[in-house]
Each structure stands twice: as structure tokens, then as C-alpha cells.
Amino acid sequence: MMDWFTLLAFSLIGAMLALTTLGLGIAAIMPGTDRWNRRFFMCLFATVMLFMVALLTDCLVWDNPGMATAEKIAIYFEYLFLSLPMPMFTAYLLHTCGERWQESRLFRAAIILWGIFFILLGIAQCTTFLYYVTPDNQFGRGPWHSLLMAPMILIMLLNLNGVISRRGKLPPKYYAAFLTHLVPLTVTLFTYNIFSFSVSLEFILFIGIVLSTLAMFGIILYDQIDRYMRQQREIAHQRASIMVLQMRPHFIYNAMMSIYYLCAQDSQKAQQVTLDFTTYLRKNFTAIANEDTIPFTDELEHARAYLTIEQVQFGDSLCVDYDTPHTQFRLPPLTLQPIVENAIKHGMDPEAGPLHISILTRKTDSGNELIVEDNGPGFDLAVTDDNEPHIALANIRQRLEMMCGGKMTIRPRAGGGTVVSMTIP
């Protein structure tokens, strides 16, 4: 029959496993989070889960005199999985502060200390100086047990100092979350190292480590959701501003007049232009109601319909080239079409020769790239943002950043004209 402590131990471990599993699931689907946050918390909770599994194994075998080998293996993995999150946290801290963790002396020091700990843990498996498990399955600390704990404690102190010294670079909620995680964990390790507690109290200290990790995750999750909701409100505001990019009366008038004259000159072509104009209208109305990104093929169809109508009006004065072999990505609606419309509106000059517009896509190491080039008069980047083309392009840039983490750059084209490049992760 189980005693009260064994029953309590299994209950607490079960609860901690359930909480870490929940944390792992939430980290995997956390809304509005970046790749680093997601990967860090998934790795962190996976490691904590393995730590709890090792602790569960320890609980299952600690009162069985014939399971000394299993006990030794369980204790090895307890120490290992307890130490792994420490250098992971160092890298996460540096990334959150905008520093390159690969080049940081803080991260190098943490890795060196963790390497020393890993070597000492290996030595502990074949000596009794650091810790040991007796043949009848009794755990004991060796005379040099503090030496094994020292690298972990030093990493925690380095991390704590790193957080405090970088408080100006950290968002307030992250600063509070990091301290919530580090201070209890550091105190716990100090206390565990100095005093030789009973197994029950040691077990409670380990549970405290898990709870401090969950507390940090909860604060950062709240901050991430808060940011996500603010972004969604901003996107809603930007959707209202999309009307700046919508149908212009002169374009509708010109399109209808083109169809009118084509009905008498070329009825088949008039039918095609009517179909293109219908596609253009449908895409415009759909874009207004759309709250999410759309496939690039939809946006390309919208731009192609618009350009086909314009080519009817301008004839040989407007040439369009498509080089879009890569189409498997998504982007905000009304991204490509307003850019080509802007190129025609400000680049069409009958006295300057035909306007050439090129639309290109390609797959890159950083994601997907969409490029629009024209040979028009160029784009004056020095003009204030109060004029219409700047407002339209600023709107596109903001929606790219908020809706899919993309970027847009505008630069002069060699030989005259403008190049608009968009990178979509």
C-alpha cells in the first residue's frame, strides 16, 4: 500500500506533466508569436517534460533495493535535463535584446560552464566523489557534490546578471518574466547545494523549478497575446485605409468607354475586356472583406486583369512582362495590384516612349521575393508621406509587416525607373 508521500509525489508529478504538456501545446500554436519564442518554449517544455519523466522513473524505483541501476540512470537524466535549459535561456535572453548570441561572451561562458558540468556528470557515473547510488538503491552525495552543482549555479548567476544589466533593452513584461524564472531557480539551486534535505523536500524544490518556468511562460504568453491583439486592431484600422488603394473613377470610366468602342470594333475582344473588368471588380470587393493573407496566384490574377484593361487603352505604349515561376506563397490582398497601378499612373508618358513593367517572383533563402520593375521617370523618395503614392506604398508596407512579417524596399532602377521589392517569409 502506498504511503502518503508516495501518493503525493505521483500526484504532483502527474500534475506537472499535464501542465508542461499543456505548455508545449500552447507554445506550438501560440498566436502572434515569432519563430524564436515558439522554438524556445517548445524546446524548454520538451526538456522539462523529460526532466519530469526522469523524476517519475526515480519515484517508481527509489524504494526497490534491486533497482539501483535504474535509479542511477534516472538521477543522471534528472541532472542533465535540469541543466539543459540554462544555456538555452542565455541564447533566448540575448536574442530578445537584439544581440547575436553566437558572438556573445555571455553565451560562450554559459556553454563552457555547461560543458564542464556535463564532463563532471559523466565522471560521476564511475566515481563516488560527486554522488553515488548504493547497491541497495540509496542515493548519497559525495564529498565533492558542490563541485558538480557549481557550474549550474554560475550559469544561473550569469543569466541573472545578464538580465539585470540589460533591463533597458528588455520589454517590461519580459524583464519581470525573466526575473520570475531566474530568482526562485537560483535560490533553489543554492539551497539544494548547501543543505542536505530529505528526499521529500528535494522533490518539492524540483517542483518549484517547473512552476517558475510556467510562470515565466505565462507572463510572456500574456505579452505575446496582447501584442497580437494590438496588431489585429491595427490591421482593422489599415483595412479602412485600404480604400485609398481602391478603384479610381477615371479608371472605371476609361474601362467602360474602352468596352463601349470595342463592342463595335471587336466584339470578341470586348467580351474579354468585360470579363477582365469583372475579375478586377470581384477581386477588389473581395480584398475589402478579407482579413487574412491570400495566395499569390489570386493577387497575380487581380493585377493581370487590371493590366489587361490598361493595355486596351494604351496599346503598344504599355508592355508587361511576367516572370513568375514561383507562386507558392501568400501575401496581403491589394499588394501587387496597387503597385502596378501606381507605376502606370506616374510612369505613363506618351512623349517618353513605351512604359515597360516587369513582374518577377523567386524563391530565396529568406523566403519568397516579389519584384516589380518599371522604366518610368522614377520615384522621388524625398517627397513627404502626405502625397497619395507615398500613402499607398506606406499602407502596403505596414500590412506586409503586420500580416506576414514581410518587408518592402523601393530603389531606383539602373537606367531609369523604379524597383519595388517585397520579401515574404
Side-chain angles (χ1 to χ4, degrees):
M1 184 175 179
M2 288 188 180
D3 58 29
W4 70 269
F5 172 71
T6 304
L7 184 61
L8 176 63
F10 283 119
S11 300
L12 285 174
I13 290 177
M16 292 301 104
L17 278 172
L19 285 173
T20 51
T21 302
L22 179 63
L24 183 61
I26 293 174
I29 61 173
M30 194 159 53
T33 187
D34 59 34
R35 182 178 60 181
W36 255 91
N37 268 308
R38 180 174 288 109
R39 287 184 176 179
F40 170 73
F41 280 109
M42 288 181 67
C43 292
L44 178 64
F45 279 114
T47 304
V48 173
M49 283 182 63
L50 292 172
F51 169 75
M52 296 308 299
V53 169
L55 195 59
L56 176 62
T57 305
D58 192 356
C59 289
L60 289 171
V61 303
W62 71 27
D63 59 351
N64 189 333
M67 300 292 288
T69 301
E71 172 79 3
K72 191 170 184 178
I73 293 172
I75 291 173
Y76 171 82
F77 283 109
E78 283 178 31
Y79 278 109
L80 180 64
F81 293 133
L82 178 63
S83 68
L84 275 175
M86 297 176 184
M88 288 165 49
F89 178 88
T90 309
Y92 182 60
L93 166 65
L94 294 169
H95 173 78
T96 305
C97 294
E99 302 177 32
R100 289 182 58 83
W101 56 272
Q102 301 94 328
E103 301 172 0
S104 171
R105 287 184 294 178
L106 175 62
F107 181 73
R108 290 174 184 170
I111 285 295
I112 290 171
L113 287 170
W114 188 85
I116 293 171
F117 168 80
F118 184 74
I119 292 172
L120 290 173
L121 187 61
I123 294 173
Q125 306 313 302
C126 51
T127 67
T128 59
F129 293 109
L130 299 170
Y131 71 81
Y132 57 89
V133 177
T134 62
D136 60 345
N137 198 13
Q138 296 297 311
F139 172 79
R141 300 186 184 190
W144 294 95
H145 182 263
S146 295
L147 182 62
L148 177 65
M149 298 298 298
M152 284 198 292
I153 293 174
L154 288 174
I155 295 175
M156 294 305 301
L157 291 174
L158 284 174
N159 285 340
L160 191 57
N161 179 69
V163 169
I164 295 173
S165 64
R166 290 169 174 79
R167 60 186 177 275
K169 298 181 179 180
L170 289 168
K173 286 189 177 68
Y174 277 67
Y175 181 64
F178 290 168
L179 290 181
T180 300
H181 173 66
L182 290 174
V183 172
L185 183 53
T186 305
V187 172
T188 296
L189 287 175
F190 260 117
T191 307
Y192 176 75
N193 186 46
I194 295 173
F195 299 101
S196 180
F197 290 120
S198 67
V199 67
S200 59
L201 199 48
E202 289 181 356
F203 177 77
I204 293 173
L205 290 175
F206 287 144
I207 297 300
I209 293 170
V210 179
L211 291 177
S212 69
T213 301
L214 289 168
M216 177 183 68
F217 175 67
I219 295 173
I220 292 178
L221 175 62
Y222 173 81
D223 184 67
Q224 290 284 312
I225 293 176
D226 185 54
R227 290 186 185 185
Y228 177 74
M229 295 305 296
R230 288 200 304 268
Q231 285 183 347
Q232 292 305 305
R233 288 192 293 270
E234 181 65 23
I235 289 172
H237 173 72
Q238 289 297 325
R239 284 182 56 218
S241 301
I242 287 178
M243 296 305 296
V244 174
L245 309 176
Q246 295 303 300
M247 300 171 293
R248 306 186 186 279
H250 78 275
F251 171 71
I252 299 175
Y253 172 78
N254 291 336
M256 297 303 295
M257 290 304 298
S258 296
I259 294 171
Y260 174 78
Y261 287 114
L262 283 172
C263 286
Q265 300 170 4
D266 188 339
S267 60
Q268 187 173 358
K269 190 170 185 179
Q271 287 181 334
Q272 182 59 48
V273 175
T274 303
L275 182 61
D276 290 328
F277 188 56
T278 303
T279 300
Y280 170 81
L281 292 175
R282 176 169 51 83
K283 294 294 184 182
N284 261 41
F285 293 139
T286 303
I288 296 173
N290 203 314
E291 299 182 358
D292 200 359
T293 57
I294 62 172
F296 170 71
T297 49
D298 287 358
E299 184 68 12
L300 181 61
E301 183 184 4
H302 189 186
R304 193 187 294 271
Y306 167 79
L307 289 167
T308 301
I309 297 169
E310 292 286 42
Q311 283 178 306
V312 171
Q313 178 186 352
F314 294 111
D316 294 338
S317 296
L318 176 60
C319 302
V320 183
D321 295 323
Y322 298 93
D323 183 10
T324 57
H326 176 57
T327 59
Q328 300 302 311
F329 61 95
R330 300 177 68 89
L331 75 174
L334 284 173
T335 301
L336 174 60
Q337 187 274 329
I339 290 176
V340 296
E341 181 175 348
N342 189 69
I344 292 175
K345 181 178 179 181
H346 300 280
M348 185 61 68
D349 184 357
E351 298 180 0
L355 176 67
H356 290 267
I357 297 177
S358 298
I359 300 174
L360 308 92
T361 61
R362 60 190 179 195
K363 182 75 173 175
T364 65
D365 293 338
S366 58
N368 314 282
E369 193 168 24
L370 171 60
I371 302 170
V372 180
E373 296 185 7
D374 69 71
N375 66 336
F379 187 77
D380 188 359
L381 296 174
V383 178
T384 64
D385 288 347
D386 295 331
N387 68 63
E388 191 173 319
H390 279 76
I391 293 174
L393 292 173
N395 182 288
I396 295 170
R397 179 183 285 110
Q398 290 173 3
R399 288 187 293 115
L400 268 173
E401 292 174 354
M402 290 188 297
M403 296 179 70
C404 60
K407 294 181 180 180
M408 184 176 75
T409 59
I410 304 171
R411 67 179 188 275
R413 176 179 171 272
T418 305
V419 179
V420 180
S421 299
M422 288 169 279
T423 302
I424 298 99

